[in-house]
Amino acid sequence: MSSIRWLHLTDFHQGMGSQKWLWPGMRERVFEDLARLQKKMGGPWDLVLFTGDLTQRGSTEEFQYFEDSLARLWAHLQELGSNPLLLAVPGNHDLVRPVPRKATVKALGTWWSDPDISDEFWKDDTSDYRRLVAEAFKPYGDWQRASRFHGQPLTPGLLPGDFSFTFPKDGVKLGVVGLNSAFLQLTAEDFKEKLALDPRQFQAACGGDSSDWLAKHDATILLTHHPQDWLHSQAAMSFEQEILAGGNFTLHLFGHMHRGASGSIRRGGGTPHRFIQGPSLFGLEEFGGNNEVQRIHGYMAGRIDFEESGGRLSIWPRVGTLKEGNFRMLGPDPTAILDEREAWSEPFTPRRMKHGRLSAPPSAPTAPGLPSSSAEPGAGTPSMRSQLSAGDYTRLHGRARLAVERLSTIAEQLGWHSVSDQGQELLKVLHQEPYRVVITGKSRAGKSTLLNALVGRAICPARRSITTAVPIIIKPGEKEFLTVNIKGKSPRLSDGPITQELLAPYADQQNNPDNEKKVIDIQVELTNEVLDLGVMYVDIPGFDDPTSQIWSSTMEMLQTAHALVLVLDVSSVRAGGFALDKQTRELLQRAQARQCAVFVVCNKADQLNAEQTQEAKEMVRSDLKRFGVWSMLAHPPFFLSASEVPVPRTQEMADPSAFKAFYDALWESLWKTEAIGLRRLYQVFEQLRLASDKVATLIASRRAQEPERIKLGAALQRCEEQRKEIVEDCIQAIKLAQSKGEQLMQTARTELRDEVRKWVEALPAGQDLPKPSAGVDALKDSMLQRRNQIVEQVQQKLEDRLARIDRRMRESLAELRSEAGSSAQTRQMQGLAQTLSTWKGQMELSAPDHQGRQVARFASMASFGIAALTGQLFGVGGLLATVVTWAINVFTDSAETPAELEEDVARTFERDWEQFATNLEQRISELSKLVTQRIRSNMMSFMKDMRSQLDDIREATQEELHLFEQLKTETEQATVSLQAILRAAQ
């Protein structure tokens, strides 16, 4: 057996403030862990793979210091018997940032809106754009070529940091490709979903022919600094199709996010795309303020084993954790599912073995403890998309409902109001329907065709004439099933398979004109990867349908939508134009007011030529901006043709790229949204465990004798004092947020006034002055951006403080419960915590920036934490979504002098600032009341129940113990179901 071992390091940030006195101590912890880990891995390391942010500012001096840090590391590795080669790619901190106002920097900022920029960049290696990037990364390139540790010779690519390298060992070859993913991130702005990785980089790094290069290697690794979700949607699509396609890479390593994660995604039975997100080797997220330091230290290690029967990939995730005694220690990631080697592993087929060319040396016996079956990566966040099986959500929901109903019954019988109230809250969550994605639009826009494409089945009738006369709800189920609900009659039921023919008598306007059959709705249960997350699709009649009954039903569905897919027919551009009508505008504004994520699909785009398509894009963008709803979109509009999607997909045809981009964006948005049913169930399981712990604590309190009673009384008194402190901290947090908002508001208003003045001064001399309304139109985007930044900063400040308060409250209650936690029942319940923590690790994903982050934070209807209360008052449905209208009297929309023009424009914005300031103040004040109420309900209610038990000291009755045993049994059975699902997914 041949083995290749490596260390995966990332995000060291040489030169970061405070690193000088914080790193030396941690360096020794890292060195100690490396010594332990090399023994577990069974041999020396061959490579060190560094995925960017080696330095903090990319200066020549910082790279010199980084080389010194490498020297210390290599000296230690050599003492352990390793002498590896280093391969590295640059990150967004490994460049010298140019002046932001430089013309070439601004031009590169229009990369995705102006294709001429990207065309010139790639075609002309002497262009100003390429010279700008080369200059920014020059210190990095100089270091890479001169470093005595970096592997050479490299096959260089188009950009600084692009390369390929072949590492041969024992008759096998490992190929490594490094690509610069940071070349567009030249400023300090937010570049989430704006970056590029181009197939031309890949081809050039492979010497001009990637197929030939790949064929020479048995395994391949791709190095980038950024994860895929930091790429623009177009770049992400070409990245999958041209770089990752066909299993080109055994593994994709990256960093940037500072926390470790791993996963494996398989689509349509294809080769898995495996990814490893390395934790920061030195991450200092916060330092100062309250003298609190949030530090992240960790790394990954890996090994590829080549045998006659195939290959096996093993990963060792290592993180620094704060131990009792207040010191940090490096070791195995406690959130990961690891074997006895402290690793997870997965089989793979070596590339040359696929083509019969691999001639591996004789295999050695399998290492002791090496699993014989594939284990899902446990470090961080594997994709549940490839793990969920049909009906899992439905089964978990049923188990959770049984356990919560038992909890409520027991609490009511025992008179424990805090537990009973919690049970009722959980039941409300469980009675909510899955996350509802409503497909809407005008008649004949192609809604039903799009929904058929989304589920990959021809279910909804789709004809040239009006078809959907009633809402069609497609939701998760353990098997296919059809329910037709009819007013005044029993439902019509039918087993699967579900087809268009089954639905047509009720859903087709031709067979059910004006819904004369009085169908309320049609519900279809399916097993589907998206639906099994706890999501439902709803196809509703066109909102331009004149029938009042259908319109009423349509509006009811829209009012309960969590996400909206608006389908527009853009084929009318051929005939001369396109414009959003009043109904569409009202629909979007209602969705905006309801915190509803919105996707716009411009359908029938195949009927337009390239010029017409570009014209249509400008028209749609202009209308959405003009009516103040552009910023609410979860993603820019998608131009596609739903009719081109092969349905059913058993035709084994690839989805058109435009539809695939929409499908993936919608899918990722759903997954990152906290309100999907599966995430709600996690909240329920978490709260159910805590409620069960409360029950055990109250039973133990009832049994307490005099010494324990005195001890518990003192614990209650401490908890009460802590509650008062927590309330006071909340008050201070609110005051600080208010002060922060006022400061930001004043600064933004001053900056905007200056911008108005500069706009007037820049007007061409000798020409008539424009109308004040023209100035408002020119500057309103800047005004909105400033307003959104204020909300984001105030909201973030509140969330950070409230999250700490939330944590203090939970710790206070946990301390109180622990005082009575000596009962056998409490000890028996503790095992549930580990299962839930493991599941939580697999459920979590990093949220997208700006609009996507707002959706992910605040769409949740099942959040139980204090910090989440901000979502009810801010975000896409709150301050950020306020529809802004700057009304200028048509009779006075003129100015005689530049000074009058400046004053009119500024006064118009000032009116909105005043209203915005009032709204912000009201939201923060309302939040103060909600937070105080939440603390009272979470703490005081339980303490009241505890006092009641202390006043009634006695042995628990057999009935009470029996009831508790029933609760414990229901909870354990629900958890077993959860564990079974996770095991099956592995």
Side-chain angles (χ1 to χ4, degrees), residues 8-11 51 192 222 224-230 251-264 274-281 296 298-301 315-319 333 344 377-382 672 844-847:
H8 175 200
L9 308 181
T10 190
D11 295 87
T51 54
K192 183 69 180 290
L222 173 65
T224 65
H225 176 62
H226 294 88
Q228 182 176 337
D229 61 1
W230 273 67
L251 191 61
H252 176 199
L253 303 182
F254 53 88
H256 186 64
M257 301 307 294
H258 285 205
R259 296 189 182 276
S262 63
S264 178
R274 305 177 188 89
F275 64 84
I276 300 291
Q277 177 177 290
S280 171
L281 185 59
I296 303 172
Y299 64 95
M300 298 279 192
I315 299 294
W316 282 259
R318 316 294 283 186
V319 296
D333 187 346
W344 62 260
T381 58
K672 293 173 181 177
E844 288 178 345
L845 285 179
S846 57

Side-chain angles (χ1 to χ4, degrees), residues 612-631:
Q612 291 168 340
T613 299
Q614 187 60 38
E615 183 181 359
K617 289 181 178 180
E618 292 301 323
M619 289 178 176
V620 173
R621 179 186 178 94
S622 175
D623 276 4
L624 291 173
K625 280 196 167 188
R626 184 156 52 97
F627 296 109
V629 294
W630 173 264
S631 61

Side-chain angles (χ1 to χ4, degrees), residues 142 158 309 490 746 752 784 909 922:
D142 292 342
L158 290 177
S309 59
S490 298
Q746 184 58 44
L752 186 62
L784 280 172
F909 285 130
Q922 289 175 348

Side-chain angles (χ1 to χ4, degrees), residues 215-385:
K216 298 173 183 177
H217 299 90
D218 307 300
T220 49
I221 295 178
L222 173 65
L223 306 181
T224 65
H225 176 62
H226 294 88
Q228 182 176 337
D229 61 1
W230 273 67
L231 301 179
H232 187 274
S233 58
Q234 296 178 27
M237 181 166 40
S238 66
F239 179 72
E240 286 196 0
Q241 293 178 350
E242 306 298 337
I243 299 178
L244 293 182
N248 284 347
F249 292 97
T250 311
L251 191 61
H252 176 199
L253 303 182
F254 53 88
H256 186 64
M257 301 307 294
H258 285 205
R259 296 189 182 276
S262 63
S264 178
I265 299 176
R266 182 195 300 268
R267 292 191 175 95
T271 304
H273 294 164
R274 305 177 188 89
F275 64 84
I276 300 291
Q277 177 177 290
S280 171
L281 185 59
F282 185 91
L284 190 60
E285 298 297 322
E286 180 179 344
F287 187 75
N290 296 325
N291 292 324
E292 294 183 359
V293 180
Q294 297 179 4
R295 297 168 61 180
I296 303 172
H297 303 287
Y299 64 95
M300 298 279 192
R303 186 179 78 195
I304 292 182
D305 298 322
F306 298 91
E307 305 177 21
E308 289 181 344
S309 59
R312 178 168 289 276
L313 168 70
S314 298
I315 299 294
W316 282 259
R318 316 294 283 186
V319 296
T321 55
L322 198 61
K323 301 295 184 180
E324 187 174 351
N326 207 26
F327 71 97
R328 286 180 172 82
M329 183 174 179
L330 264 292
D333 187 346
T335 67
I337 303 174
L338 306 176
D339 57 30
E340 58 268 32
R341 303 171 304 153
E342 301 177 351
W344 62 260
S345 64
E346 182 177 277
F348 75 99
T349 303
R351 290 192 55 82
R352 291 198 293 175
M353 180 177 286
K354 295 178 183 178
H355 306 286
R357 292 193 294 266
L358 178 61
S359 178
S363 60
T366 302
L370 189 65
S372 60
S373 61
S374 171
E376 181 64 25
T381 58
S383 171
M384 296 294 290
R385 185 173 183 173

